[in-house]
Amino acid sequence: MNILVINCGSSSLKFQLINAENEKLIAKGLCERIGIDGSKISYTPDGGEKEEKEVPMGNHTDAIRLVLEALTNEKTGVVKSLAEIGAVGHRIVHGGEKFAKSTVIDSEVLAAIEECNDLAPLHNPANLIGINACRELMPDTPMVAVFDTAFHQTMPDKAYMYGLPYEYYEKYKIRRYGFHGTSHSYVSKRAAEVLGKKYEDLKIIVCHLGNGASVSAVMNGKCVDTSMGLTPLEGLIMGTRSGDIDPAIIEFIAHKEGKSIDEIMSVLNKKSGVLGLSDNLSSDFRDLEAGYHEGSARAINTMETFAYRVAKYIGAYTAAMNGVDVICFTAGVGENSAFIRSMICNNYLGYLGVKLDEEANKKRGEDIAISTADSSTTVMVIPTNEELAIARETYRLV
Ligand code: ADP
C-alpha cells in the first residue's frame, strides 16, 4: 500500500509518498508560500529529476490538488490514479493529553484536535487545514493523525508538572508535553534494533539536534522525560529559540526595552538561540562551525554554550533514569556535525565512560555506533526519518 505523508504548516506543505510494504520512498516534495504571492511546488520522483515551478496556490486545497496532480502526472507521476494511494498520514503537532497514540481520523478526532488548538495556535490549525483539504479531494481514503506529542504521554507526572499553582493545570492543562515525539520514538527503537538489544531493556537518551532541538529520556521502551515543554520553546538552545531562561527575564526586558509580551515572545522564538547568542552571525551550525575555526569569539562561545546545555540535559536524564546505556544523536546537527558530537562527548561525558571512536564519528548517513567497543556507554548516530515513522503508523492503523 502507498501512503501519502503530509506535514502541513501555515504556508507550507511537505509531502512524501512511501510504499509501506518495502518502506521505499516513491516521491517527495514541498509546496511553499501557500496563500502568498510567488507560491511554488517542488516535486521529485525517486531516482528522477527535481521539478520546481511557480503556480498560484490560494489555499491548502489548491496545494494538495497540485500534489495529487504531480503524483498522477502521465509523464513524471509515480501512480496511475489516486486509487493507488491507500491512506494519508498527517503529522499533527499537538495532541494535548487526549492523544497518547496515533489514530484514524474521523469527525470526533477532528473535533478533539481542534480542542488542542489553544496549546499550539500556530501549528494545529494549519495541520487541520491540511486534513480537511485532503478529505475534500480524497473523501474515501482513510487518514491517520500522528502526533508530535504522543510518544511523550508516558512521562510520569513528576516529569510533566511545573511548579505552578495546580489550578493552572486543572483549568488550562498547563504541563510539559514535549515535541519531536515521532523522531524520539523512531530513533530510540532503531538504536535498540541496530544494537540487537531489547528496546524494553535499555535506558536511552535521544538528542534531536536540528533547527528545533530536544532531548528525551527513554527507559524500558517508554519516554520518561523530555526537554521541550508546554511549547517547543523550552529546553536546549536552538537555531532561533532561547530554550530555558529565567522567566523573570521577560519582565526585565519588557521594562528595559518597552516591549509587549507578544514582542518578547517573538524575540524568544525567532531572534534568540544560536542566532541571537552569536550576535546574529547565523542560526545555521555550518556557519557557526566555520566561525569557530576562524576564531570568531561569538561563534566559539555560541558553540560552547550550545554543547554545554546538551551535556547538562544528558546529565539530568542520566540521573532521571539512574543510568544510561545508549546516547543517540539525530536531526540536521546531530547527524551531520562530528564537531558538535565530539565537543559534547569528549568535553563532558567522561564520567559515563564514553570513549568516542573518532573515525566512526566522521561517517555520515548511517545508523552506527560512534563509541569504541570498550566505551561504558554506547554513543550512536541514527538518522531520523519522521516521514517513514508516520507512514508505518498509518499503515499499521489502516
Ligand atoms: P528542522 O527540521 O528543525 O528544520 P533539521 O533537522 O533539518 O531542522 O536541521 C537543520 C539544521 O541542521 C540547520 O540549521 C543546520 O545548522 C544543521 N546542519 C545541516 N548540515 C550540517 C552540517 N554538515 N554541519 C553542521 N550542521 C548542519
Side-chain angles (χ1 to χ4, degrees):
M1 178 190 288
N2 298 330
I3 310 276
L4 179 61
V5 176
I6 300 275
N7 181 352
C8 198
S10 56
S11 67
S12 71
L13 187 154
K14 284 189 223 156
F15 65 94
Q16 284 195 5
L17 189 68
I18 295 173
N19 177 323
E21 278 95 11
N22 63 19
E23 302 200 330
K24 289 246 160 68
L25 177 71
I26 303 172
K28 66 175 180 180
L30 169 68
C31 300
E32 287 170 285
R33 301 180 62 85
I34 302 168
I36 314 174
D37 279 352
S39 29
K40 61 176 185 188
I41 177 169
S42 71
Y43 165 77
T44 318
D46 191 40
E49 293 273 304
K50 180 174 176 174
E51 284 173 31
E52 265 185 308
K53 60 178 173 187
E54 264 197 50
V55 213
M57 289 175 229
N59 55 40
H60 289 76
T61 310
D62 292 347
I64 305 259
R65 192 174 288 118
L66 286 165
V67 169
L68 299 178
E69 266 168 32
L71 293 170
T72 53
N73 183 282
E74 259 186 31
K75 277 197 201 137
T76 51
V78 285
V79 289
K80 286 196 192 68
S81 74
L82 292 186
E84 288 179 36
I85 299 176
V88 183
H90 292 270
R91 176 197 177 205
I92 310 294
V93 167
H94 219 306
E97 287 187 332
K98 291 184 178 20
F99 297 103
K101 288 192 180 98
S102 310
T103 178
V104 175
I105 297 172
D106 57 22
S107 40
E108 253 172 62
V109 168
L110 279 177
I113 296 174
E114 205 172 333
E115 281 174 36
C116 302
N117 279 3
D118 259 5
L119 295 168
L122 293 180
H123 294 101
N124 269 33
N127 300 156
L128 280 166
I129 289 171
I131 297 177
N132 287 325
C134 280
R135 277 167 49 112
E136 195 181 323
L137 298 170
M138 312 164 80
D140 301 322
T141 310
M143 316 245 164
V144 169
V146 180
F147 300 90
D148 257 30
T149 48
F151 180 62
H152 304 302
Q153 278 295 305
T154 50
M155 281 187 289
D157 51 8
K158 64 183 175 190
Y160 70 69
M161 288 305 290
Y162 290 117
L164 289 170
Y166 187 66
E167 61 176 294
Y168 295 152
Y169 172 67
E170 287 186 306
K171 279 201 276 193
Y172 310 119
K173 294 282 175 229
I174 292 179
R175 49 161 282 180
R176 173 182 314 286
Y177 290 96
F179 299 86
H180 294 139
T182 313
S183 175
H184 287 288
S185 161
Y186 173 88
V187 168
S188 53
K189 278 188 196 123
R190 184 76 192 121
E193 220 171 83
V194 172
L195 294 173
K197 295 198 169 150
K198 266 181 80 180
Y199 190 42
E200 291 73 21
D201 291 344
L202 291 171
K203 294 173 180 175
I204 306 174
I205 294 176
V206 180
C207 306
H208 176 113
L209 312 180
N211 192 30
S214 64
V215 188
S216 68
V218 183
M219 187 159 135
N220 310 128
K222 291 202 168 94
C223 176
V224 293
D225 208 342
T226 192
S227 60
M228 283 179 166
L230 172 76
T231 75
L233 189 54
E234 193 181 348
L236 298 179
I237 295 171
M238 311 183 205
T240 62
R241 295 187 196 122
S242 64
D244 301 336
I245 59 163
D246 178 346
I249 292 172
I250 295 173
E251 186 201 25
F252 196 90
I253 299 175
H255 289 319
K256 293 281 181 196
E257 301 259 319
K259 284 192 183 342
S260 68
I261 292 272
D262 283 356
E263 285 167 335
I264 298 173
M265 293 319 291
S266 168
V267 170
L268 296 181
N269 275 296
K270 296 182 184 151
K271 297 195 173 145
S272 300
V274 293
L275 174 70
L277 188 52
S278 68
D279 202 11
N280 296 315
L281 211 61
S282 179
S283 65
D284 192 311
F285 282 77
R286 284 165 288 203
D287 301 332
L288 295 169
E289 210 172 307
Y292 186 102
H293 295 301
E294 285 159 12
S296 148
R298 286 302 343 118
I300 293 170
N301 173 254
T302 300
M303 296 281 280
E304 283 177 347
T305 312
F306 174 83
Y308 179 68
R309 179 77 58 88
V310 177
K312 283 213 294 191
Y313 267 98
I314 292 173
Y317 290 166
T318 301
M321 298 191 288
N322 194 14
V324 57
D325 301 307
V326 188
I327 298 168
C328 301
F329 288 98
T330 194
V333 183
E335 288 166 30
N336 294 305
S337 178
F339 185 67
I340 280 281
R341 293 194 298 260
S342 151
M343 245 176 144
I344 297 167
C345 296
N346 291 333
N347 295 353
Y348 301 108
L349 304 183
Y351 73 101
L352 293 173
V354 165
K355 287 190 205 158
L356 214 54
D357 176 338
E358 299 296 342
E359 282 311 305
N361 188 36
K362 286 183 193 149
K363 293 190 183 165
R364 270 158 90 163
E366 290 173 51
D367 298 319
I368 51 164
I370 57 166
S371 49
T372 58
D374 63 343
S375 178
S376 325
T377 306
T378 306
V379 182
M380 303 181 83
V381 173
I382 306 279
T384 192
N385 194 338
E386 288 167 281
E387 289 78 13
L388 176 59
I390 294 173
R392 279 183 185 161
E393 282 290 277
T394 305
Y395 186 51
R396 185 176 65 78
L397 284 167
V398 303

